[in-house]
Amino acid sequence: TQLLEQSPQFLSIQEGENLTVYCNSSSVFSSLQWYRQEPGEGPVLLVTVVTGGEVKKLKRLTFQFGDARKDSSLHITAAQPGDTGLYLCAGARGSNYKLTFGKGTLLTVNP
Amino acid sequence: GAVVSQHPSWVICKSGTSVKIECRSLDFQATTMFWYRQFPKQSLMLMATSNEGSKATYEQGVEKDKFLINHASLTLSTLTVTSAHPEDSSFYICSAPTSDMNTEAFFGQGTRLTVV
């Protein structure tokens, strides 16, 4: 059972376009993290959202946590080829360190 | 920021041999570490939770006798793939939460295992 549904699974866009990646669940998470992974490397933490309705910005990336803490989105403005990578959302419950990962979104930004 | 180091980055071994992968927390202590397996262009699959000073907790479907985990100190966990077969070829990644950020995880660089 996939507890975190991430979509789309694959996304190929042109440089300068905007995109949104979604992460949905029927379960409540105490926090949700977004990671970016490049081929052959480990995931790198981008952001953690904790409060329902929270919005965090990281340059051209905007992260939002749903009011009910069951879903999250990642919006990239004016995508660049350097944004290419696998984006993963991961949710945590309580103080349990164990993360539940979404299936990932493989983003390709073409010059 | 917190650093988790994984070694080796890649390894090629023959079928039937065993391979050990190390995961170290370099600037913090980790009583818990996680081991994941990842197939190309897919997400991470949690294999087991490594607990310092006690037995690892394995996820359903993961053979504990095949994937031996040892967490002998607060900064080191090892994953040994025993009697490796070609189907064990994969990308293995470890992670560790830091003590003051109770859910954020920092990942090692990953180990590409190829069994020939």
Side-chain angles (χ1 to χ4, degrees), chain A residues 14-104:
Chain A
Q14 293 300 121
E15 182 175 0
E17 293 183 1
N18 302 331
L19 67 114
T20 302
V21 178
Y22 299 94
C23 196
N24 298 300
S25 175
S26 58
S27 304
V28 175
F29 292 99
S30 57
S31 69
L32 197 140
Q33 287 118 49
W34 285 92
Y35 295 84
R36 178 169 167 267
Q37 184 182 23
E38 297 196 25
E41 299 181 10
V44 174
L45 179 66
L46 295 174
V47 78
T48 299
V49 285
V50 178
T51 306
E54 182 177 7
V55 177
K56 283 192 174 179
K57 291 193 175 183
L58 188 66
K59 295 184 181 178
R60 294 175 292 99
L61 278 61
T62 301
F63 305 86
Q64 187 164 7
F65 202 13
D67 291 340
R69 290 185 291 140
K70 293 182 179 181
D71 56 87
S72 181
S73 64
L74 157 61
H75 183 78
I76 301 179
T77 304
Q80 298 177 0
D83 296 327
T84 294
L86 179 67
Y87 289 83
L88 298 158
C89 64
R93 292 196 177 84
S95 59
N96 186 344
Y97 298 145
K98 198 163 152 179
L99 293 175
T100 299
F101 278 88
K103 287 189 174 180

Side-chain angles (χ1 to χ4, degrees), chain B residues 14-17 66 81-89 113-116:
Chain B
K14 291 184 178 180
S15 290
T17 61
K66 173 122 183 110
V81 182
T82 63
S83 187
H85 289 104
E87 56 265 32
D88 298 326
S89 298
L113 170 64
T114 303
V115 184
V116 298

